[in-house]
Amino acid sequence: MTFDLPRRLVAEILGSAILVATVVGSGIMADRLSGDAAVSLLGNTIPTGAILMVLISIFGPISGAHFNPVVTLVFAARREMQVATSFGYILAQIAGGLAGTAIAHAMFDLPILQVSGTARTGAGQWIAEMVATFGLVLTILCGLRFRRDTIPWLVGLYITAAYWFTASTSFANPAVAIARSLTDTFSGIRAVDLPGFIAAEIAGALLAAVFAGWLLSGRDNGISSAAAEGAE
Amino acid sequence: MTFDLPRRLVAEILGSAILVATVVGSGIMADRLSGDAAVSLLGNTIPTGAILMVLISIFGPISGAHFNPVVTLVFAARREMQVATSFGYILAQIAGGLAGTAIAHAMFDLPILQVSGTARTGAGQWIAEMVATFGLVLTILCGLRFRRDTIPWLVGLYITAAYWFTASTSFANPAVAIARSLTDTFSGIRAVDLPGFIAAEIAGALLAAVFAGWLLSGRDNGISSAAAEGAE
Amino acid sequence: MTFDLPRRLVAEILGSAILVATVVGSGIMADRLSGDAAVSLLGNTIPTGAILMVLISIFGPISGAHFNPVVTLVFAARREMQVATSFGYILAQIAGGLAGTAIAHAMFDLPILQVSGTARTGAGQWIAEMVATFGLVLTILCGLRFRRDTIPWLVGLYITAAYWFTASTSFANPAVAIARSLTDTFSGIRAVDLPGFIAAEIAGALLAAVFAGWLLSGRDNGISSAAAEGAE
Amino acid sequence: MTFDLPRRLVAEILGSAILVATVVGSGIMADRLSGDAAVSLLGNTIPTGAILMVLISIFGPISGAHFNPVVTLVFAARREMQVATSFGYILAQIAGGLAGTAIAHAMFDLPILQVSGTARTGAGQWIAEMVATFGLVLTILCGLRFRRDTIPWLVGLYITAAYWFTASTSFANPAVAIARSLTDTFSGIRAVDLPGFIAAEIAGALLAAVFAGWLLSGRDNGISSAAAEGAE
């Protein structure tokens, strides 16, 4: 089943918009309601993981459900996608993300246009973003290879975990990062901190693509693989 | 496998009743136990998402598990359901919802009949309800098309997310909204605020139906759809 | 694949023991750690739902994974199980439950034998137990009919919801109720309150069995069932 | 599909590293953000369960996704794995775990090398570790037998429950225990307490292997197994 480019781009725009509206909107809701920052992060994490499972399920068959420039970049680098199309995808993701922030603000009666003042910078944050994106791309590439129909669950679960185990709460997505620079709420990030995040995300994604290329090219070399049979 | 109309209507009544009993009952429980409003919302969200997965799984094969007048409206508009049947469904959903509120009150030793005093109104709330219902109907229509057997999980996950990312905590259901106007507890809504909510829900649902009609009619126009193959 | 009676009974004992150890143990852990009763209930709910999914998955193919006298009673009443076997099952479930309480106490360095002082009585509680058990049995019977392989998920999700939407936190299981009367911790119940709970549970279970017997006997009477096709 | 030994060992190293980075990292995040220890444990539990589901899904087809010396030990004892390979696996798991702790510290701007001061000892803790590991190995062995494709979900759900129902928060893994002795944060354990934990884990694992060997060898002895057919 295949869809034409306009529909694929619309799926990327709308999926990215709903994803960002969820990240930003649930952050606002959680922050308003709670006096405990970990409860707020739970209230931000659970909706984000859940909506990813939904969005990848419903838009995956149309556009592939990238919603993320570095994911598109990896598919382009693997020659599984034309360069021209990948540019279209990335623009769609950024535009969708910006719309998502605006929708969240409109729902919560906040100014549509905002500038974030939340500093997110330093070596720890950059390492965290690199780790987060490495894991995300590895999850996608291995998942596509071994358990294609579970990809929506795997990506949602991965991000659920990564919100907590990375010091940056795992943006792992340049389009989402850009969109989050335009909200001065729980999930915001200063525009000046974007380059560090985006560079780390690209590095993590490319590293994962190279690593997965090696890992998944493996075949039996004659040594018994009983363990692989034994526990999965 | 098909079921006769009485059983289908009973499934809609009972499903709507259990759904509303969960929304109202878990709201009462969470509000009584917690001193943190975000923890209360978590205690309202997790049961609601979970029971939706159960109810759609067990009643879906009988009635379609609508439990929601705008979902029924969309199927009627798509000519997948007779108009007379759809009226029966909607009445069943409203009656079931009212019973659900009564059951929740009985369990928690509260007056069976109550009038909510919780104001939920204004542009932000209406936009939120329109967004929430748009997403719900889109999830159902795309899910039915691509991953029919996962519909129970997708709807439960979508509502889990929407409780947090929409400013209205995502009623997204006129029958549930009416039922919630009769409880003066955590999940209540003033009767006077119902028209705004219901209008927004109908608008969001119809918009989603039109949009999905366009989106899902797409077919290959000759442009490679490698991306769609690449990530789902 | 079938298993002999000793193995089936051992599966019922061990499954009931792990289930009760989880209910009681996670209640102790949550209550010790938290200052917010709703957070404690979350810390009791999530492990209980999760372990049910595991236990039903791993013991279901051996014993049917009842772990619950009223579930066994329903299968006996439906003549899907011999009366003698059902007595064995019920004794196994009660014995396993008692062992589970003891194991939880041992792990948390508490006296092995305790008497609960937690009052759980009154009309609201009894209605709640009847509703909770009605829903549980309905979930099992409909699930077995329509989506047999998802039963472990459905039961775990149902109990996750029922912990919150019923005023009694949904014991819904006489063997678990008896076992909980022997712990004076978060999840305890006074022995004197057991008869009311157990009577309500039996009533709810039998009501569900009768109702499901009617509901699931339905077949097409010629009226179009487009809705059933439309949304599941 | 089989993979050569280097790739299998790398999968064990990387999987163990990401697992430990999640356990330690989410513990740090949760502890920093929350003033309620149960919320912190939730913030530690949910990511750990989620990442296990992901890691077993994506590395299971390569290495079997043990990430745990006692799991490897059980497969070796069952002759499903060569002894030499099992040594390689265990070294890979320990090395990966240590790397995971270091990565977590780097992300959170903490000293890479730390010594834990958290005492975890005594009979209750040891019983808890034995119970936790018994349940984990039983889940894996029964899961492999009955529902192989759900193993990633079952293990993740089991650990989600075990974090709460065992008094030790269920390490259940010597490689993870060793790695946690090198962090002086939420999830740490004193090096001096490791032998008790590891001995209890090995005991629980071997007990489960023997028990599962008996339980799963069962076949029909002529007694009707209607119950097994009735509810799974």
Side-chain angles (χ1 to χ4, degrees), chain B residues 46-79:
Chain B
I46 292 174
T48 302
I51 207 72
L52 274 167
M53 296 178 188
V54 172
L55 295 174
I56 299 173
S57 292
I58 68 175
F59 291 133
I62 297 173
S63 72
H66 297 189
F67 314 145
N68 188 338
V70 298
V71 172
T72 298
L73 178 65
V74 165
F75 284 115
R78 290 165 62 97
R79 321 253 165 179

Side-chain angles (χ1 to χ4, degrees), chain C residues 6 30 49 64 69 82 87 133 160 164 176 198 201 206 212 222:
Chain C
Q82 293 176 358
F87 274 104
T133 316
T160 296
W164 289 82
V176 169
I198 293 174
E201 290 161 2
L206 294 181

Side-chain angles (χ1 to χ4, degrees), chain D residues 5-98:
Chain D
L5 190 60
R7 283 178 175 80
R8 288 164 61 196
L9 293 177
V10 166
E12 287 294 309
I13 292 172
L14 186 59
S16 304
I18 297 177
L19 173 58
V20 168
T22 301
V23 171
V24 173
S26 67
I28 295 168
M29 176 71 90
D31 195 35
R32 279 191 186 171
L33 293 184
S34 186
D36 184 304
V39 171
S40 294
L41 189 57
L42 264 184
N44 197 207
T45 300
I46 292 173
T48 303
I51 207 72
L52 274 167
M53 296 179 188
V54 173
L55 294 174
I56 299 174
S57 291
I58 66 175
F59 292 132
I62 298 173
S63 73
H66 297 188
F67 314 145
N68 188 339
V70 299
V71 171
T72 298
L73 178 66
V74 165
F75 284 114
R78 291 165 61 97
R79 321 253 165 181
E80 297 176 6
M81 194 173 182
Q82 293 175 358
V83 172
T85 310
S86 68
F87 274 105
Y89 263 52
I90 291 172
L91 289 177
Q93 292 153 1
I94 294 171
L98 297 178

Side-chain angles (χ1 to χ4, degrees), chain A residues 208-228:
Chain A
V210 170
F211 175 74
W214 172 77
L215 185 70
L216 298 176
S217 71
R219 277 294 176 282
D220 190 14
N221 62 358
I223 294 172
S224 161
S225 186

Side-chain angles (χ1 to χ4, degrees), chain C residues 94-172:
Chain C
I94 294 172
L98 298 178
T101 299
I103 293 167
H105 290 165
M107 291 194 290
F108 285 93
D109 293 315
L110 294 170
I112 300 298
L113 292 177
Q114 304 181 20
V115 174
S116 174
T118 306
R120 297 184 191 260
T121 188
Q125 295 283 306
W126 299 329
I127 296 170
E129 278 304 295
M130 201 171 73
V131 168
T133 316
F134 176 87
L136 174 63
V137 170
L138 191 65
T139 298
I140 293 170
L141 295 177
C142 292
L144 283 173
R145 171 74 174 276
F146 298 127
R147 296 172 71 97
R148 199 181 190 85
D149 62 324
T150 67
I151 286 275
W153 319 133
L154 295 182
V155 172
L157 288 165
Y158 176 78
I159 293 296
T160 296
Y163 258 50
W164 289 82
F165 84 75
T166 66
S168 62
T169 69
S170 189
F171 284 48

Side-chain angles (χ1 to χ4, degrees), chain C:
Chain C
M1 183 182 343
T2 57
F3 288 82
D4 57 27
L5 190 59
R7 283 178 175 79
R8 289 164 60 196
L9 292 177
V10 166
E12 286 295 309
I13 292 172
L14 186 58
S16 302
I18 297 177
L19 173 58
V20 168
T22 301
V23 171
V24 174
S26 67
I28 295 168
M29 176 72 90
D31 195 35
R32 279 192 186 171
L33 294 184
S34 186
D36 184 304
V39 171
S40 294
L41 189 57
L42 263 185
N44 197 207
T45 300
I46 292 173
T48 303
I51 206 72
L52 274 167
M53 296 178 188
V54 173
L55 294 174
I56 299 174
S57 292
I58 67 175
F59 292 132
I62 297 173
S63 72
H66 297 189
F67 314 146
N68 188 338
V70 299
V71 171
T72 298
L73 178 65
V74 165
F75 284 114
R78 290 165 61 96
R79 321 254 165 180
E80 297 176 7
M81 194 172 181
Q82 293 176 358
V83 172
T85 309
S86 69
F87 274 104
Y89 263 53
I90 290 172
L91 289 177
Q93 291 153 3
I94 294 172
L98 298 178
T101 299
I103 293 167
H105 290 165
M107 291 194 290
F108 285 93
D109 293 315
L110 294 170
I112 300 298
L113 292 177
Q114 304 181 20
V115 174
S116 174
T118 306
R120 297 184 191 260
T121 188
Q125 295 283 306
W126 299 329
I127 296 170
E129 278 304 295
M130 201 171 73
V131 168
T133 316
F134 176 87
L136 174 63
V137 170
L138 191 65
T139 298
I140 293 170
L141 295 177
C142 292
L144 283 173
R145 171 74 174 276
F146 298 127
R147 296 172 71 97
R148 199 181 190 85
D149 62 324
T150 67
I151 286 275
W153 319 133
L154 295 182
V155 172
L157 288 165
Y158 176 78
I159 293 296
T160 296
Y163 258 50
W164 289 82
F165 84 75
T166 66
S168 62
T169 69
S170 189
F171 284 48
N173 183 328
V176 169
I178 292 169
R180 289 169 70 161
S181 74
L182 295 175
T183 186
D184 197 24
T185 64
F186 186 76
S187 60
I189 176 174
R190 288 186 315 188
V192 72
D193 296 334
L194 285 177
F197 264 55
I198 293 174
E201 290 161 2
I202 293 173
L206 294 181
L207 197 60
V210 170
F211 175 73
W214 171 77
L215 184 69
L216 298 176
S217 71
R219 279 290 176 285
D220 190 12
N221 60 0
I223 294 172
S224 159
S225 185
E229 289 152 24
E232 225 303 301

